[in-house]
Amino acid sequence: MRRPFVVSVCAECGYAAFPDRLLCPRCGEARWERREAPAGVVESTARLHRAPGRDYRPPIEIALVRLRCGPLVVARAEDELAPGDPVTLALETGAPLAGRRERAS
Amino acid sequence: MPAGIVGAAETPYRRPSEGATLPLLAEAARSALADAGLRPRDVDGLAVASFSLAPDRAIDVAWRLGLRLRWVMEDTNGGASGLNMLQHAVRAVEAGDARAVLLLAGDALGADGFRELAEAYNSATRAHLAPIPTGGPNALFALLTRRHMEQHGLDREAYGHVVITQRRWAVRNPNAVFREAPSLDEYLAAPPVAEPLTRYDCVPIVSGADAVVVAEGGVVVASLAARHNYDNQDGDGLETGLREVADDLWTQAGLAPDEVDVVSVYDDYPVVVLLQLADLGLVPEGDVPRFVVDRLAPGGYPLNTSGGQLSAGQAGAAGGLHGLVEAVRQLRGEAGERQVDGARTAVVSGYGMVLYRYGACSNAVVLRRGA
């Protein structure tokens, strides 16, 4: 089931965390707010063919995405993506998915 | 007398389907104790690192080996476990808490066992990486390699030179799994595992164990340093914790980086080798492309002279001691055909525990040949 991509934001200092933390690494507080944060830009990609005990056919396309709010996220690329592409992230059973975000006209 | 390494041993690394964890740890223990001229009754400290020990723990290993202890620990820091155990053992001996500490690390993990371990490595992996799926760290280090290439203006040849340099050393290591060096063309033409990584860039999984004995005397631990969760995984992974500790590491050892004779850096992937070499100050002016051309491509650079894990194999948690054992052998003049002439000093690093995108644990020691 597809859900919006969310990060945790420190209520004290605004540090955005993905994956979640317990205490804010910047200010040490433990008050977090969940915030939808779907927008990002592709930083790099990798095409995964094999892992120990696994062959992926077709290969899995992996993208490293920089969220507008700060964190770097490892996602499965749903479109053919290249570094610099703006993307929208969603979550499916915990897996971040990245799809190309069309520019507003 | 300062604490040092008085015994070191490694079992032959076997195919992943062979061997079992406890017997492998026992085999390494016996060899290291024999090497140190000690018997089990002389050991009063034990440190163990293994991914496949459960449901047993370090204290079970103590019992099964007949060791009566004043000091015990189990280390769960992957490729940084070896040097983490060394750090604690050295301090224990210096403080008088133990006289002879046995460090053990090893695993018998098949490809399936490795996969299960990789997919459940920590809660972040289970929640956000395994469902993608990433199937383990290859995809993460493929991303890291891409970023490294971009930052330094490198092409795949650079990583090929790391692999080939190490394989050339492995040719002279009868215990290495891979003892042939590919040509650069063969390296570049290999089928991809996780682009841009191919099988040459990934460690062969083996079964085996390494052991080290820490006591007064032996190969001197001239300095050691560690940084763990260096940047809260907030960075891009191109800088390890070694960057912050390198100056102190060399200063305390009374050595400049370009004076060291033997280099054993943790090598789960070629990019991690290059990162650590730079962070340790071994890459002049941080110019990685120049370093590859000037120091690696011509051959003979004393990097991971066993061939490293990339050639010899990764026996799970033993990887963190593998480079240490090789460095000790070099400093004792016991490296046979791969002996670096006149080796008096060595630097060894550990790296491990990918929390989300890259390793969080980094440590390093500088060793000096004993008196």
Side-chain angles (χ1 to χ4, degrees):
Chain A
M1 201 191 110
R2 192 165 292 230
R3 294 178 201 275
F5 192 83
V6 279
V7 300
S8 292
V9 178
C10 175
E12 180 68 32
C13 76
Y15 173 87
F18 184 86
D20 286 347
R21 279 359 116 70
L22 298 168
L23 300 185
C24 176
R26 195 186 288 165
C27 74
E29 282 301 316
R31 287 182 303 120
W32 298 95
E33 290 161 0
R34 306 284 279 166
R35 189 179 300 171
E36 285 187 22
V41 175
V42 176
E43 290 221 345
S44 55
T45 61
R47 178 171 295 147
L48 177 61
H49 296 262
R50 284 176 45 215
R54 294 246 192 265
D55 266 303
Y56 298 108
R57 291 185 197 146
I60 312 272
E61 305 289 340
I62 308 284
L64 183 67
V65 175
R66 169 78 69 185
L67 296 178
R68 193 177 282 160
C69 62
L72 280 168
V73 176
V74 179
R76 185 167 80 234
E78 296 194 289
D79 301 311
E80 210 172 292
L81 295 176
D85 284 352
V87 289
T88 302
L89 294 193
L91 273 174
E92 189 171 78
T93 54
L97 306 176
R100 196 180 303 108
R101 175 161 41 94
E102 301 309 326
R103 297 185 194 284
S105 53
Chain B
M1 207 187 294
I5 295 166
V6 300
E10 182 174 282
T11 67
Y13 285 169
R14 303 171 171 96
R15 291 175 195 286
S17 53
E18 295 174 30
T21 305
L22 286 178
L24 286 166
L25 294 177
E27 188 181 332
R30 282 181 55 121
S31 297
L33 290 175
D35 184 58
L38 295 174
R39 273 169 290 203
R41 77 167 90 102
D42 300 314
V43 173
D44 59 354
L46 173 69
V48 183
S50 174
F51 291 116
S52 53
L53 198 54
D56 284 336
R57 300 177 176 87
I59 192 64
D60 294 279
V61 175
W63 173 49
R64 302 284 191 171
L65 295 181
L67 307 178
R68 299 171 66 242
L69 306 173
R70 295 195 287 147
W71 183 96
V72 67
M73 68 177 284
E74 185 168 334
D75 202 280
T76 57
N77 293 292
S81 278
L83 296 192
N84 199 43
M85 296 191 292
L86 180 69
Q87 178 180 9
H88 290 287
V90 163
R91 298 304 180 225
V93 170
E94 286 175 352
D97 284 350
R99 268 189 304 275
V101 182
L102 175 64
L103 312 185
L104 293 179
D107 276 290
L109 281 169
D112 284 349
F114 187 89
R115 189 192 72 243
E116 283 162 23
L117 171 70
E119 288 177 353
Y121 206 65
N122 61 359
S123 53
T125 299
R126 266 203 309 213
H128 301 301
L129 292 175
I132 286 176
T134 49
N138 290 344
L140 304 174
F141 287 92
L143 290 169
L144 198 70
T145 302
R146 277 250 157 86
R147 191 181 189 92
H148 189 244
M149 287 167 76
E150 197 184 281
Q151 177 161 109
H152 291 279
L154 296 165
D155 50 26
R156 287 186 57 223
E157 266 92 333
Y159 309 93
H161 284 301
V162 172
V163 170
I164 291 165
T165 295
Q166 294 190 197
R167 286 286 189 100
R168 284 194 184 134
W169 285 106
V171 169
R172 295 178 255 167
N173 179 7
N175 285 331
V177 169
F178 292 138
R179 298 191 59 197
E180 284 177 7
S183 68
L184 199 54
D185 284 342
E186 285 170 330
Y187 171 83
L188 292 170
V193 165
E195 294 172 36
L197 305 180
T198 74
R199 65 180 176 87
Y200 288 113
D201 301 303
C202 303
V203 291
I205 296 160
V206 295
S207 292
D210 285 67
V212 160
V213 182
V214 176
E216 282 188 349
V219 169
V220 175
V221 177
S223 63
L224 50 77
R227 280 291 185 278
H228 304 303
N229 190 35
Y230 163 57
D231 63 0
N232 279 296
Q233 296 281 294
D234 280 343
D236 58 11
L238 293 192
E239 202 171 278
T240 75
L242 294 182
R243 175 77 50 138
E244 226 177 61
V245 302
D247 284 348
D248 284 347
L249 188 76
W250 296 111
T251 303
Q252 279 171 40
L255 196 64
D258 60 9
E259 293 172 331
V260 78
D261 298 317
V262 174
V263 177
S264 276
V265 291
Y266 196 78
D267 65 326
D268 49 353
Y269 297 92
V271 64
V272 176
V273 170
L274 291 176
L275 293 181
Q276 293 171 99
L277 292 176
D279 286 346
L280 283 170
L282 291 165
V283 175
E285 281 150 41
D287 188 339
V288 180
R290 169 114 308 206
F291 177 83
V292 170
V293 165
D294 288 352
R295 308 284 178 101
L296 293 186
Y301 186 77
L303 168 67
N304 293 335
T305 56
S306 64
Q309 296 174 82
L310 286 166
S311 315
Q314 181 183 74
L321 281 185
H322 174 81
L324 183 66
V325 169
E326 175 65 8
V328 167
R329 287 183 172 150
Q330 286 284 357
L331 295 182
R332 299 200 300 205
E334 295 170 358
E337 281 185 81
R338 61 189 192 280
Q339 181 65 49
V340 172
D341 285 338
R344 303 187 69 87
T345 57
V347 63
V348 184
S349 78
Y351 174 92
M353 303 316 288
V354 175
L355 297 180
Y356 179 47
R357 291 181 287 109
Y358 50 87
C361 293
S362 269
N363 40 28
V365 298
V366 175
L367 305 175
R368 277 188 188 282
R369 186 157 74 188

